[in-house]
Every structure is written in C-alpha cells, then in structure tokens.
Amino acid sequence: GIAGAKEIEVDAVALDGEIIVAAMSEHIENAGVHSGDATLVLPAQDLSHETIQHVLDSSRKIIRSLKVTGPVNIQYLAKDDDVKVIECNLRASRSFPFVSKTVDLNFIEVATKAMVGMTSDFPTEQRIWAGGNHKRIGVKVAQFSFPRLSGADPGFHSNNNTTTF
C-alpha cells in the first residue's frame, strides 16, 4: 500500500524529449497531502540513491516517449525504493517558481525559449538538482491568507466537537 510512502516531484524543462534542466523535490509529509498544500524540500533530503536514480530514469523515459518540449511536472510515490508514477503534467506546476528561486535559474524562461525555438543560450550540458549537496536548500510551506477573510481567527484552537463524547 501507499501508507508511509513519500511523494516526489520532478519539475523539468525539455527540448524534443530531452531534459535540459530538472529539479527533484520531496514532500515532507507522507503521501496523501495535496501538492498545493504540501511542504516541499529541494533538493530531496531523505531519499535513497536508488530511489533518486529510479525517479530520474523514469522521468527521462517519460519525457522522451512524450517528446516533450517545454515545461513538465511528474509526480511519484516511493516506498522502500519501489517507485510509482502518479501524475504527469505537460505544463508548469505551482512549484516552478519555488524551484526557480531555489536553484537560481528561471525554469519558466528556459521553458518559454524551448517552446519558441530560442535555444542558442541554453546550458551546454544537462543540469539536474536531485539529492546530494547543492548551493541552497529550499523549503516551500503552504500559507493561508487569513487577512483576506473578514473576522477570521488565524489562531489554532482545540474545539473539534466531532470527536467529543
């Protein structure tokens, strides 16, 4: 089952089915928390070398088979080095800005250039951020905009009446 499984995301930009840039993020929460609400860390900190390689190999195969040009987000579940694809989106995900800031490279700009054929200033070799030591570690935490809700109380309280006997 998926109980205790990790969720992993790969945000990438490809040209003619080949990865130009890619970054692997890991959800802090176990699988089941929606990506938009999940806490992400980049690069992944708690994945085995085998899981990282499996995710990267699978990402390359998926992107190549779909002949992707532009942005792509692929989501995986992993437990005990068993990796399963749960979603592949041929678009920029909500984590693209986070990834871009963390790795100091504008993935949207690279994707746009790939889609319109402006490839002369692309990186000369594939750049992938996945596990290991990198210049930065980024953490994305969902925030709820309480000030937009008139009268909302942002404090946490224990008044869950549904579990009271």
Side-chain angles (χ1 to χ4, degrees), residues 43-45 52 130-134 136-137:
Q45 300 292 303
I52 290 171
N133 296 321
H134 294 281
R136 293 188 190 135
I137 296 173

Side-chain angles (χ1 to χ4, degrees), residues 39-141:
T39 303
L40 299 178
V41 63
L42 170 68
Q45 300 292 303
D46 193 31
L47 301 176
S48 71
H49 176 75
E50 291 78 15
T51 294
I52 290 171
Q53 287 308 308
H54 191 137
V55 168
L56 290 175
D57 291 345
S58 295
S59 297
R60 286 185 186 101
K61 288 176 184 175
I62 291 166
I63 289 167
R64 191 170 291 133
S65 69
L66 295 174
K67 297 180 175 79
V68 175
T69 290
V72 60
N73 168 268
I74 308 172
Q75 297 175 25
Y76 297 88
L77 288 181
K79 184 176 180 183
D80 301 326
D81 296 327
D82 181 29
V83 177
K84 305 228 182 293
V85 177
I86 57 174
E87 198 172 317
C88 177
N89 300 293
L90 301 179
R91 60 170 173 75
S93 70
R94 285 181 270 191
S95 51
F96 256 57
F98 160 71
V99 166
S100 295
K101 290 175 188 174
T102 302
V103 304
D104 199 26
L105 178 68
N106 188 334
F107 274 40
I108 295 297
E109 182 179 338
V110 176
T112 302
K113 287 180 178 180
M115 291 186 294
V116 298
M118 295 175 55
T119 60
S120 60
D121 61 346
F122 273 180
T124 54
E125 59 186 52
Q126 196 177 63
R127 295 173 65 185
I128 297 177
W129 291 266
N133 296 321
H134 294 281
K135 189 165 67 171
R136 293 188 190 135
I137 296 173
V139 178
K140 179 190 84 66
V141 179

